[in-house]
Amino acid sequence: MNTLKVIKIGGKLIDDPTAIGSFLEDFAAIKEPKILIHGGGNLASSMARDLDVPVQQIDGRRITDDATLDIITMAYAGKINKNLVARLQGLGCNALGLTGADGNSIVSKIRDKKPIDFGHVGDPKSVNVDFIQLLLDHGITPVFCAITHDGAGQLLNTNADTVAADVCSAFAKAYTTQLYYCFEKQGVLRDINDPSSLIQDIDQKEYEHLKLEKVIADGMLPKMQNSFRALQNGVSSVHIGLASMITSTDNNHTTLIL
Amino acid sequence: MNTLKVIKIGGKLIDDPTAIGSFLEDFAAIKEPKILIHGGGNLASSMARDLDVPVQQIDGRRITDDATLDIITMAYAGKINKNLVARLQGLGCNALGLTGADGNSIVSKIRDKKPIDFGHVGDPKSVNVDFIQLLLDHGITPVFCAITHDGAGQLLNTNADTVAADVCSAFAKAYTTQLYYCFEKQGVLRDINDPSSLIQDIDQKEYEHLKLEKVIADGMLPKMQNSFRALQNGVSSVHIGLASMITSTDNNHTTLIL
């Protein structure tokens, strides 16, 4: 089977002009079929401040009200997505920017209103494999921002890690799928302040152990849960580390397998 | 040959919630292949005010500087384009939102810096017919905002009427092409304040005559120039009038032919 790389980049990478430039060169140079999923960075927060749109919270959880959804759509689907696409085109990569609404590529279910009404937030329930495959078959590289839709006219704010896991899982039958979560650390570290404490390989048993030990905690937990869910859905391997891992062969990151 | 309708809607329609809702229903109901091109409306101007981005002008002409391009990209490619796409999806039309960078669909040449440097403004030089045809062949409806790219990494602000004319012209060999410019009047009027003075048909000779008479002047001139350019490039007919004309059969608008 051919290999498909699904690569997710987060906000901190997007906010760093040098790092994103170097990442886009590496990404454009990948010869295999590939899909990019990007988070949002600081732009939405700074726009909300500049436009006096208060951050709505309930019990410390952010709510996506109408004004916040507008800002996210402008920042993620507009400025960030389109500039990534234009820059990739300039690097010879035929990129196409997408929300889940475009080509009906990802339909989400709005999140339950209980116990917390998160507003316009949804979790993917279907990925349009035929449409995305059509793009890949024609040498087009999909670039997704983490906005999906309900299929009935409403855009929905969606977790970018989840979008990446679900898009990758949807292609597990057609490709040998590799899911990459790029972030600002070398991978899962035993000691968060010591890069040399990198854990190179984690399987499900080790994961349960590291959770009990609290080596894996906080923000890393949802990323890991998405990763193991993807592996259970047939994804071949999940890789967590610095953006440079996508073209590096030194295995200096964390690889998850079942 | 099959018919392809290329329909351009302007800002005033986008800013009117009732009118745009009704237009999208009509548009979604068109069974033939179709392409939507949309302008921007007031959103970019109001965002520029709210974000304290001054409108840059030279000799009374607007300049697209970095900050203005960001706002246009957020407003047109982000909020407006993605909401149009999501709403069309809700109406059963498999829409896909695009800038010219997406799928390398429209490459523009940056406008000459003399006599006025307009900044990030470009005029289309090539339309990617193969890619857009691929979408149409799979029942996907392209929805373009008027942003293109230079192919080297830079987005460019582009006139929406020109984008519509150029996209329509590019398909003149493959389809019987009909170009629709929807705006807030019934068409070209002899007396701008009298809807009953509608001129139903204009050919090139009549157009030259109406220009001399100053019946066609100001903002209507570039629209007409784009229209005749499209006709010369093989477009079958150009229609100018209210948005309701796209599904109406009463011919109550202005039709241009060579």
Side-chain angles (χ1 to χ4, degrees):
Chain A
M1 276 203 290
N2 289 325
T3 298
L4 173 68
K5 291 179 191 282
V6 176
I7 298 172
K8 188 257 170 173
I9 55 172
K12 284 191 185 158
L13 185 60
I14 288 167
D15 288 335
D16 179 340
T18 312
I20 189 68
S22 151
F23 168 80
L24 290 175
E25 283 180 30
D26 288 349
F27 181 82
I30 294 173
K31 288 199 178 63
E32 295 100 337
K34 53 194 183 287
I35 298 174
L36 181 62
I37 321 278
H38 65 84
N42 289 327
L43 178 60
S45 307
S46 70
M47 277 180 68
R49 270 195 310 275
D50 292 345
L51 292 169
D52 287 327
V53 171
V55 174
Q56 302 287 340
Q57 293 195 333
I58 298 178
D59 297 345
R61 306 288 294 268
R62 285 183 172 219
I63 308 303
T64 305
D65 59 5
D66 288 346
T68 303
L69 182 66
D70 278 352
I71 286 175
I72 286 170
T73 306
M74 292 192 279
Y76 300 176
K79 183 174 168 181
I80 295 173
N81 189 269
K82 296 312 165 195
N83 278 290
L84 290 175
V85 167
R87 290 177 73 173
L88 285 171
Q89 290 286 351
L91 293 165
C93 170
N94 190 5
L96 172 67
L98 297 162
T99 67
D102 296 291
N104 199 28
S105 49
I106 307 172
V107 178
S108 283
K109 186 181 176 300
I110 194 165
R111 202 169 285 174
D112 285 339
K113 304 279 179 201
K114 304 278 169 110
I116 296 176
D117 181 354
F118 285 99
H120 304 301
V121 174
D123 300 296
K125 64 177 182 184
S126 66
V127 174
N128 188 341
V129 173
D130 289 349
F131 168 61
I132 300 170
Q133 185 70 63
L134 176 72
L135 300 175
L136 296 173
D137 286 346
H138 288 80
I140 297 168
T141 297
V143 177
F144 281 98
C145 66
I147 296 173
T148 60
H149 76 142
D150 68 355
Q154 179 64 54
L155 296 169
L156 295 168
N157 188 8
T158 303
N159 180 282
D161 287 349
T162 307
V163 169
D166 284 23
V167 167
C168 196
S169 301
F171 284 90
K173 282 187 188 149
Y175 292 89
T176 300
T177 43
Q178 300 173 340
L179 175 58
Y180 290 82
Y181 284 119
C182 303
F183 78 141
E184 65 280 8
K185 294 197 184 290
Q186 213 150 6
V188 181
L189 305 174
R190 280 202 174 270
D191 171 358
I192 202 162
N193 297 311
D194 177 9
S196 76
S197 70
L198 177 74
I199 308 174
Q200 281 196 315
D201 298 286
I202 305 179
D203 62 13
Q204 187 118 31
K205 198 176 149 197
E206 178 72 0
Y207 170 56
E208 298 301 335
H209 184 70
L210 292 166
K211 259 202 304 190
L212 282 176
E213 271 190 322
K214 310 247 188 242
V215 171
I216 296 174
D218 305 326
M220 188 55 91
L221 274 175
K223 210 179 282 290
M224 298 293 278
Q225 279 156 5
N226 269 311
S227 300
F228 279 103
R229 191 169 54 83
L231 291 170
Q232 280 148 10
N233 288 327
V235 167
S236 303
S237 57
V238 182
H239 307 266
I240 299 181
L242 298 171
S244 56
M245 73 176 159
I246 66 167
T247 50
S248 152
T249 51
D250 64 6
N251 212 26
N252 214 356
H253 62 267
T254 300
T255 299
L256 313 186
I257 50 168
L258 267 194
Chain B
M1 274 203 291
N2 290 325
T3 298
L4 173 69
K5 291 178 192 282
V6 175
I7 298 171
K8 187 257 169 173
I9 56 172
K12 284 191 186 160
L13 185 61
I14 288 166
D15 288 335
D16 179 339
T18 311
I20 189 69
S22 152
F23 167 80
L24 290 174
E25 282 180 28
D26 288 349
F27 181 82
I30 295 172
K31 290 199 176 64
E32 295 101 339
K34 54 193 183 285
I35 298 175
L36 182 61
I37 321 279
H38 65 85
N42 288 327
L43 179 60
S45 306
S46 69
M47 275 180 69
R49 272 196 308 274
D50 292 347
L51 293 170
D52 286 327
V53 172
V55 175
Q56 302 287 341
Q57 294 195 334
I58 299 178
D59 296 345
R61 307 285 297 268
R62 285 185 172 217
I63 308 303
T64 306
D65 59 5
D66 288 346
T68 304
L69 183 67
D70 278 352
I71 285 176
I72 286 169
T73 306
M74 291 192 280
Y76 300 177
K79 182 173 168 182
I80 295 173
N81 188 271
K82 295 312 164 196
N83 277 289
L84 289 175
V85 167
R87 289 176 72 173
L88 284 170
Q89 290 286 353
L91 292 164
C93 170
N94 190 4
L96 172 67
L98 297 163
T99 67
D102 297 290
N104 199 27
S105 49
I106 307 172
V107 178
S108 284
K109 185 180 174 303
I110 193 165
R111 203 170 283 175
D112 285 340
K113 304 277 178 204
K114 304 277 168 108
I116 296 175
D117 182 354
F118 285 99
H120 304 301
V121 173
D123 300 296
K125 64 176 182 184
S126 66
V127 174
N128 188 342
V129 173
D130 289 349
F131 168 61
I132 300 171
Q133 185 70 63
L134 176 73
L135 300 175
L136 295 173
D137 287 346
H138 288 81
I140 296 168
T141 296
V143 176
F144 280 98
C145 66
I147 295 172
T148 61
H149 77 143
D150 68 357
Q154 181 62 54
L155 296 169
L156 295 168
N157 189 7
T158 304
N159 180 281
D161 287 348
T162 307
V163 170
D166 285 22
V167 167
C168 195
S169 301
F171 285 91
K173 282 188 189 150
Y175 293 90
T176 300
T177 42
Q178 300 173 339
L179 174 59
Y180 290 82
Y181 285 119
C182 303
F183 78 141
E184 63 281 7
K185 293 195 184 294
Q186 214 150 5
V188 180
L189 305 174
R190 280 202 174 272
D191 172 357
I192 203 164
N193 297 310
D194 178 8
S196 77
S197 70
L198 176 73
I199 308 173
Q200 279 193 316
D201 298 287
I202 304 180
D203 62 13
Q204 188 119 29
K205 200 176 146 196
E206 177 73 1
Y207 169 57
E208 298 301 336
H209 185 69
L210 291 166
K211 259 202 303 192
L212 284 174
E213 272 190 319
K214 310 248 189 238
V215 171
I216 296 174
D218 306 327
M220 187 56 90
L221 275 175
K223 210 179 282 288
M224 298 293 277
Q225 280 156 5
N226 270 310
S227 301
F228 279 104
R229 191 168 55 83
L231 291 169
Q232 281 149 8
N233 288 328
V235 167
S236 303
S237 57
V238 182
H239 307 266
I240 299 182
L242 298 170
S244 56
M245 72 175 161
I246 66 166
T247 50
S248 154
T249 51
D250 63 8
N251 211 26
N252 215 356
H253 62 267
T254 300
T255 299
L256 313 186
I257 51 168
L258 268 194

